[in-house]
Amino acid sequence: MASYVIRGGRPLRGEVSISGSKNAALGIIPAAMLLDGPCRIENLPDIADVNVLFEICRSLGARIDKQSDGSVEIDPRPIHTSEATHEKARTIRASYYLMGALLGRFHKATLFMPGGCDFGTRPIDQHIKGFEAMGGRVTIEYGKILVEAERLSGEHIFLDVVSVGATINLMIAAAKAEGVTVIENAAREPHIVDVANFLNTMGANVKGAGTDVIKITGVPVLPGRTTYSAIPDQIEAGTYMIAAAVTGGDVKVRNVIPKHMEPLTAKLAEMCVGLEEGEDWIRILPPQDHLVAANVKTMPYPGFPTDLQPQTTVLLCLCDGVSRMTENVWENRFQFVDDLKMMGASITTAGHTAMIEGPAKLTGATVTAHDLRAGAAMVVAGLVAEGTTEVCEVRIIERGYEDLIGKLRALGAEIERKGP
Ligand code: UD1
């Protein structure tokens, strides 16, 4: 079992460069499986989830070659099967985007029911509703989902809940369907716009991504044969901004799109965290005075991202007064709170809300990474806690953060990895 050992209490200082977006990459790579020609993708993060997805795509027959400049050449033309049932497909949730890609390509797709981080039930009814509207027949048996369509045709699809996954999956399938698909009540996250831009660069006709109505006019051929660069990771950037703020540090976070960070920067300003901003960077400065309590509610974009909720909860522990954190996206995303309490936090949870009383003095303890972002929150807590914190089961963190240890060390953190 791998763990991180952190000796806390050092303010982070310096510059950190943000990698490509995990969630954009996890949509773009399956979308590339739909193409009729090769493509080159730049700025993909080197993280476990991306590497597992490459392995699954290679098992379908795709050629994927990492280049020395960090870009990746993908040739999906040799794909020979509509069955993405590689063992590893059980382990990452985003493998379900292959449903849209293989359905678009073969009018047929077989996959394991998706896994991923555990923060409550994670239904896929909206994906299924959309595929059925487009002419798909869906069967679930023996832990697998099979979608088949004689004709895949454009339709009006109204999503009952705003779902990132369903929006991306349906957008991918619709790119090669016959006619026009309209997704209403679509999610608007930056990585949805990025997957749409990727598809358009490769020859698709997707309009309206970034609004709640996306219109996709299917095309018979997606030629590819060009290069696309993924956007920077909004959540990685937010994690370093919060890590800088909790330690009272001075960190310039480079290679970000400040517009994507607004839900976080607005809240940090409310808490009196010092901020400066340029075209593609955000600098966190030590606060002028003490940090001030704030109320935060997670919502689909442009609301406050649920994937920054655990890290922000750590920051709220250090703010003066009572803060309220309300989790509106996932039903069970406060599992890390008990670990944080063990470190000295004063938090009570009731349903979807955590009441946080601050400022708390955090002290080192042995804690667990319950899921990817909760794990990142434990690291953030360890950076400010007095003494030594050991964060266990950190492989889950490595699914989504490129070179976390290297980047934190370069900012002056005392952190090391133990174990396999
Ligand atoms: C994606 C992100 C994840 C993030 C989440 C919300 C990826 C790989 N993962 O997950 O990190 O936390 O967006 O920003 O991009 N729902 C349904 N039916 C469905 C689908 C979803 O009821 O068919 C519900 C879910 O239970 C949840 C909400 O909709 O309450 C949002 O889920 P969704 O946006 O689909 O999340 P993911 O795409 O799984």
Side-chain angles (χ1 to χ4, degrees), residues 23 93 96 122-127 163-165 307 329-330:
N23 288 349
R93 187 158 186 83
Y96 67 11
R122 299 186 72 175
I124 56 163
D125 56 302
Q126 298 306 304
H127 305 235
S163 160
V164 171
D307 287 354
V329 179
W330 297 113

Side-chain angles (χ1 to χ4, degrees), residues 255-282:
N255 186 33
V256 297
I257 298 176
K259 175 93 192 135
H260 295 168
M261 305 313 301
E262 276 174 6
L264 176 64
T265 43
K267 279 294 154 192
L268 293 180
E270 215 177 301
M271 294 176 213
C272 294
V273 171
L275 283 158
E276 273 177 9
E277 194 174 295
E279 208 172 297
D280 63 353
W281 56 266
I282 294 176

Side-chain angles (χ1 to χ4, degrees), residues 53-250:
L53 196 51
F54 283 156
E55 223 178 297
I56 298 165
C57 292
R58 283 193 186 105
S59 76
L60 301 174
R63 271 202 293 274
I64 298 176
D65 296 309
K66 288 190 184 181
Q67 308 297 304
S68 52
D69 63 0
S71 68
V72 177
E73 303 259 0
I74 298 184
D75 188 350
R77 287 172 298 182
I79 292 181
H80 48 77
T81 173
S82 63
E83 293 196 15
T85 49
H86 187 284
E87 248 330 283
K88 293 218 168 141
R90 288 180 198 274
T91 61
I92 61 163
R93 187 158 186 83
S95 61
Y96 67 11
Y97 293 140
L98 288 169
M99 216 167 359
L102 295 171
L103 188 62
R105 192 181 174 112
F106 295 111
H107 290 190
K108 195 175 169 184
T110 307
L111 280 101
F112 288 119
M113 288 296 280
C117 281
D118 172 20
F119 24 70
T121 48
R122 299 186 72 175
I124 56 163
D125 56 302
Q126 298 306 304
H127 305 235
I128 291 175
K129 172 179 159 171
F131 291 140
E132 285 180 338
M134 294 170 77
R137 279 185 316 280
V138 178
T139 321
I140 299 174
E141 53 187 15
Y142 306 110
K144 289 181 194 157
I145 177 163
L146 166 69
V147 194
E148 273 181 297
E150 259 148 53
R151 280 184 60 200
L152 200 60
S153 44
E155 245 323 317
H156 252 81
I157 302 163
F158 193 98
L159 297 179
D160 303 335
V161 290
V162 179
S163 160
V164 171
T167 304
I168 291 181
N169 226 343
L170 297 174
M171 207 164 64
I172 295 173
K176 277 183 95 172
E178 288 174 42
V180 180
T181 303
V182 179
I183 308 173
E184 304 217 35
N185 200 25
R188 293 181 279 168
E189 267 66 5
H191 39 284
I192 287 175
V193 180
D194 211 33
V195 176
N197 287 343
F198 167 77
L199 284 166
N200 284 341
T201 307
M202 299 299 147
N205 183 349
V206 182
K207 294 203 170 86
T211 76
D212 57 4
V213 182
I214 303 180
K215 188 172 157 192
I216 306 117
T217 306
V219 293
V221 177
L222 284 172
R225 296 188 187 282
T226 181
T227 300
Y228 189 78
S229 186
I231 52 167
D233 197 300
Q234 177 203 25
I235 306 301
E236 190 199 15
T239 303
Y240 284 103
M241 287 164 64
I242 294 168
V246 295
T247 61
D250 181 346

